[in-house]
Structure formats: C-alpha cells, structure tokens
Amino acid sequence: MSNKVLSHKPVRKAVFPVAGLGTRFLPATKAVPKEMLTVVDKPVIQYVVEEARAAGIEHFVFVTGRNKGVIEDHFDQQVELEQTLRERGKQKALDILAEALPGPGQTSFTRQQAPLGLGHAVWCARNIIGNEPFALLLPDMIMQDERGCMSRMVDVYNETGGNVISTEEVAPEETHKYGIVEKGAPIAGGFKVNGMVEKPAQGTAPSNLIISGRYILQPEIFDILENQQSGAGGEIQLTDGMLELAKIQDFFGFTFQGRTFDCGSKEGFIKANVAYAMWDKKMAKALRPELEQLLASIKPRTA
Ligand code: G1P
C-alpha cells in the first residue's frame, strides 16, 4: 500500500451510523432502537457521542433509519420535562440533561433508506461532511477509557495525517466476525496498515487484529463508496472502500489499550453494564459483594 496524499486538516465532524435493525436483541429492539438500550444509566449512543465530544468533535451526524426517531429526541431539549424539574428544584437532574445535549446546530440527521451495508451508510453522510476529514464511530462498540479512544486517535492523526483506524486483538476463532488488518511498521503511536479484509472465512484471517469501530477518514472515501460493489454478506462494505483508498493514501492503525464492549452482542452488552457499574465508586462498593454472591450461587436453568 502506498502513498502520499496526506492531509492534516482538523477533524471537526463525526458520523454515527445508527440505521441497523438490532435483530440480535429482539424483542427488546422491536420498538426501541438498539442504540437506545441502556448501559447503567445512559443509552449506548450517548457513550459514543461523549467519546466524540471529548475528542473535540463539533458536529454530530447521525445516519438513521425507520423507527429511530427517538435518537433525535434524545439529543434534543425536553422542554416540558425541564420545566417540571425546575419547578421542583431538581438541579442535579437538570445538569445531567444539559450535559448530554449537543449545542444548537451541532447535530444533523440523514436517513439510510435501505439496509445496504456500512459503506452505504457512511456514503449517505457525504453532503453533510463535505470536503474534510471526519471521524466515524460505530455505536455497537463502546470503549471504556479515561481519555477516550477517539481522542487518542486524533493524537495519532495529528502526527500522521492520512486515515487512522482503531484495532484490537481478538481470539483467532472470532476473526470471521470482523474486518481484519495486517500490521506493518510502527509509526507515531500506531503502525502502518499493510492490508485489510472484511470478515475473512474462518481460518483464513491474515492476523487477529480487528477493526474495532473507530475511524478517521479522508473525504475521498465518498467517491469510492459511490461506485463500490457489494462484498461480504452481499453488503456495500466500508472495508472494501478503504482498501481502494489505501491505493492512493496512507492508512495507520491505532491499538486501543482500554476496554472495548461489543454491545451488538448480548454478552458484550451485559459486560459493558457490569464494567461501567464497577467504574462508579459508589455503585462498585454496593455491587461487588452482591455480584460475587450471585456468581457463586446461580446455575444455568436446565429447561
Ligand atoms: C463492521 C465493520 C467491521 C468491523 C466491525 C466492528 O462490521 O464492517 O470491519 O470490524 O463493524 O464492530 P459489522 O459489525 O457491521 O458487521
């Protein structure tokens, strides 16, 4: 892979593809979008938006679909609720609401009208992003870290320019579920990406480093995605588009050291709930003995 159209324009906008159906969580996701499922006391999507905000993102672009309107409401002011809270002197609750709210004009919502794949979802944001680099955060993945995965990626990007993707090691038998990268030479807190493949058949992955759901991409990806043929699973794959872009621009990998939870799976979602609860000092104190007791005593149901 080669060379050299590097750009160090700042990353100001972020894309959140939230059109997915959430079939793995039915019936919970029949009326509630999977991105609105709660980890401790916040919907999954809010963790991801907060990570982007911590990285300096100023504009939040949601690629939504049918039945996702509640995500738009979540990032809007709830006037009646705030009024009631004010009347009752509930300042703490008001502060919590204010913290979650992006500023006026800082959000955009566009629809992916058909579920044609992640590459297609990202392409749907092209006119809102325009001709500048952007962050992409997949809301299935939440990343627990004091500083935030995207902040750390912006540090790498400020050194390298080009395109940066977060990666993480998984067990070899898990690789077929993800995009996989081939690691090249180390560079500026990351490494050069030598190759990528989307969901390789079991036993054929070039490494066990997965693309873990955070990207900084240059806008040239949009022209490529416009003509992208469908790939793995019959979907228009972002990874295939990135492979094309890697012919003319550099790609760098960043190895995230915090904890990643794949909230697209039930196990990942439960783990995220436990991990975020245990991150909270007060809750951890109350929960630890109860969890230990539960783990020691509970057995799977036989029927
Ligand atoms: C998508 C990407 C894949 C990446 C994964 C991370 O796959 O296509 O490269 O590894 O997200 O969650 P999806 O989960 O949409 O199948």
Side-chain angles (χ1 to χ4, degrees):
M1 299 208 168
S2 63
N3 325 318
K4 279 293 148 221
V5 191
L6 293 187
S7 156
H8 286 67
K9 277 191 192 168
V11 185
R12 301 183 313 120
K13 298 180 182 176
V15 174
F16 305 88
V18 292
L21 295 175
T23 44
R24 280 189 283 180
F25 275 91
L26 284 169
T29 49
K30 187 178 166 197
V32 176
K34 62 175 174 168
E35 298 80 8
M36 290 301 292
L37 297 180
T38 312
V39 170
V40 185
D41 56 0
K42 286 188 249 181
V44 166
I45 186 66
Q46 194 178 325
Y47 287 88
V48 185
V49 166
E50 283 175 4
E51 183 191 327
R53 257 177 146 182
I57 296 300
E58 298 163 7
H59 196 101
F60 307 87
V61 182
F62 298 84
V63 181
T64 73
R66 272 181 288 282
N67 299 326
K68 301 282 183 166
V70 67
I71 297 177
E72 196 163 343
D73 292 341
H74 183 73
F75 291 107
D76 192 8
Q77 216 158 350
Q78 234 282 34
V79 180
E80 296 86 352
L81 175 61
E82 289 177 19
Q83 181 63 30
T84 309
L85 291 173
R86 249 189 305 277
E87 281 163 15
R88 296 184 183 173
K90 304 264 184 205
Q91 191 53 44
K92 202 159 166 227
L94 282 164
D95 293 345
I96 288 171
L97 291 182
E99 236 172 76
L101 198 64
Q106 285 192 320
T107 50
S108 294
F109 297 85
T110 185
R111 278 203 179 194
Q112 184 187 25
Q113 291 152 328
L116 299 178
L118 178 60
H120 179 260
V122 171
W123 177 74
C124 288
R126 66 199 179 283
N127 289 333
I128 306 172
I129 298 297
N131 190 26
E132 57 180 285
F134 62 99
L136 168 65
L137 298 96
L138 307 191
D140 271 355
M141 304 300 242
I142 59 177
M143 317 284 230
Q144 191 181 43
D145 180 41
E146 289 296 347
R147 241 198 104 212
C149 179
M150 186 51 73
S151 295
R152 295 180 195 276
M153 288 172 69
V154 167
D155 289 349
V156 173
Y157 171 78
N158 288 339
E159 294 280 315
T160 60
N163 302 270
V164 183
I165 49 184
S166 67
T167 67
E168 199 158 314
E169 281 187 24
V170 298
E173 59 275 17
E174 298 285 300
T175 50
H176 66 287
K177 298 181 190 162
Y178 298 97
I180 303 295
V181 300
E182 270 177 74
K183 194 172 184 172
I187 185 167
F191 57 87
K192 192 92 197 301
V193 170
N194 281 351
M196 294 176 257
V197 55
E198 182 66 20
K199 302 198 175 75
Q202 231 156 359
T204 67
S207 79
N208 63 341
L209 262 191
I210 65 160
I211 299 172
S212 64
R214 301 290 183 268
Y215 312 70
I216 294 173
L217 295 171
Q218 297 297 325
E220 287 77 14
I221 192 75
F222 294 125
D223 289 340
I224 293 170
L225 290 174
E226 178 142 7
N227 300 306
Q228 187 68 52
Q229 301 300 307
S230 36
E235 297 189 338
I236 298 174
Q237 293 292 352
L238 176 65
T239 305
D240 295 342
M242 294 197 299
L243 266 173
E244 223 20 64
L245 185 57
K247 292 179 181 164
I248 52 164
Q249 294 183 4
D250 283 324
F251 270 75
F252 302 96
F254 165 72
T255 307
F256 179 58
Q257 302 293 347
R259 288 189 199 88
T260 298
F261 302 102
D262 185 349
C263 290
S265 80
K266 287 179 199 170
E267 293 80 4
F269 178 72
I270 305 291
K271 273 204 271 185
N273 268 286
V274 176
Y276 277 93
M278 298 305 284
W279 227 26
D280 179 284
K281 235 191 199 159
K282 227 165 122 195
M283 235 186 298
K285 196 161 172 241
L287 264 182
R288 184 177 292 279
E290 290 183 36
L291 284 177
E292 278 167 4
Q293 203 262 337
L294 198 61
L295 288 174
S297 63
I298 201 154
K299 304 259 179 317
R301 268 200 308 199
T302 43

